[in-house]
Amino acid sequence: MWPTLITLILLIPILSLLGSFGTINNETIETWNHLIENQLGEATVNTVGLLIVVGIGTLTLGTSLSYLVATFQFPLRRTLRWALLLPLAFPPYVFSFIFLGFFSPTAKEGTFNQLASWTIHHPFFSLAVVMILCFYPYIYLLGLNAFESQGQQVVEVGRTLGYNRTQCFWKLSL
């Protein structure tokens, strides 16, 4: 009884949105024409560009960090293994505010001034950097699990075949 009632209450906004599609007037047509003529092309290009840049950046950063943590021994490795998951604790809008605080032109004199001017003139790449730093932990977790399940044996087999560490990564681990 209660789950059905809660479901119906939650469906009210969706049903009202679906019901509004039947009411098309001149104002709605003008609004859609304006959006299509002036903003849809640029928004589509920006969205596809962000998809490509953030996808490649997230894949590169997450995979490389997970490979380094899973296969190499270095000081503070165990701490870094968990510290690289910290971006999952913050929503992306919090990272955006932190990024703006560090790289805005009103930041303290001498702190990242050249980078601040670059971020103002290149908002697309600034957004891409923030999104990459927010979403790489998902790839990092998957990669860490995969590289640890392979174990060191893959690298050892590659070394016996005459591969260096880079070749072991590209030809065997991936």
Side-chain angles (χ1 to χ4, degrees):
M1 161 92 178
W2 284 107
T4 306
L5 183 62
I6 292 172
T7 304
L8 290 175
I9 290 171
L10 292 175
L11 282 176
I12 290 173
I14 297 171
L15 294 175
S16 67
L17 180 67
L18 291 175
S20 70
F21 286 133
T23 59
I24 297 177
N25 54 24
N26 287 338
E27 185 179 330
T28 307
I29 293 172
E30 289 174 15
T31 302
W32 275 106
N33 284 336
H34 171 74
L35 290 174
I36 289 170
E37 291 172 3
N38 298 321
Q39 296 177 340
L40 190 61
E42 184 180 357
T44 303
V45 168
N46 286 339
T47 302
V48 171
L50 272 176
L51 178 72
I52 292 168
V53 171
V54 172
I56 291 171
T58 302
L59 189 65
T60 302
L61 186 62
T63 304
S64 59
L65 289 175
S66 62
Y67 183 74
L68 291 175
V69 169
T71 58
F72 292 102
Q73 297 293 328
F74 52 89
L76 298 175
R77 176 180 163 266
R78 293 177 66 180
T79 305
L80 186 64
R81 175 190 168 107
W82 296 108
L84 289 171
L85 294 173
L86 286 177
L88 291 175
F90 298 102
Y93 71 88
V94 172
F95 275 112
S96 299
F97 284 121
I98 293 170
F99 191 83
L100 284 174
F102 272 107
F103 302 119
S104 70
T106 59
K108 285 188 172 182
E109 195 64 34
T111 58
F112 310 113
N113 280 341
Q114 290 178 343
L115 198 55
S117 67
W118 185 86
T119 60
I120 291 170
H121 299 298
H122 300 90
F124 177 85
F125 291 108
S126 300
L127 176 61
V129 166
V130 169
M131 291 179 74
I132 289 168
L133 292 176
C134 288
F135 298 130
Y136 84 85
Y138 297 104
I139 304 297
Y140 169 75
L141 276 174
L142 293 172
L144 188 65
N145 185 24
F147 291 132
E148 284 182 345
S149 67
Q150 286 179 352
Q152 196 64 22
Q153 292 87 4
V154 173
V155 176
E156 291 171 1
V157 167
R159 299 294 283 205
T160 60
L161 292 173
Y163 294 155
N164 60 24
R165 284 198 175 270
T166 306
Q167 290 173 325
C168 287
F169 173 74
W170 287 105
K171 292 184 178 181
L172 300 176
S173 293
L174 282 183

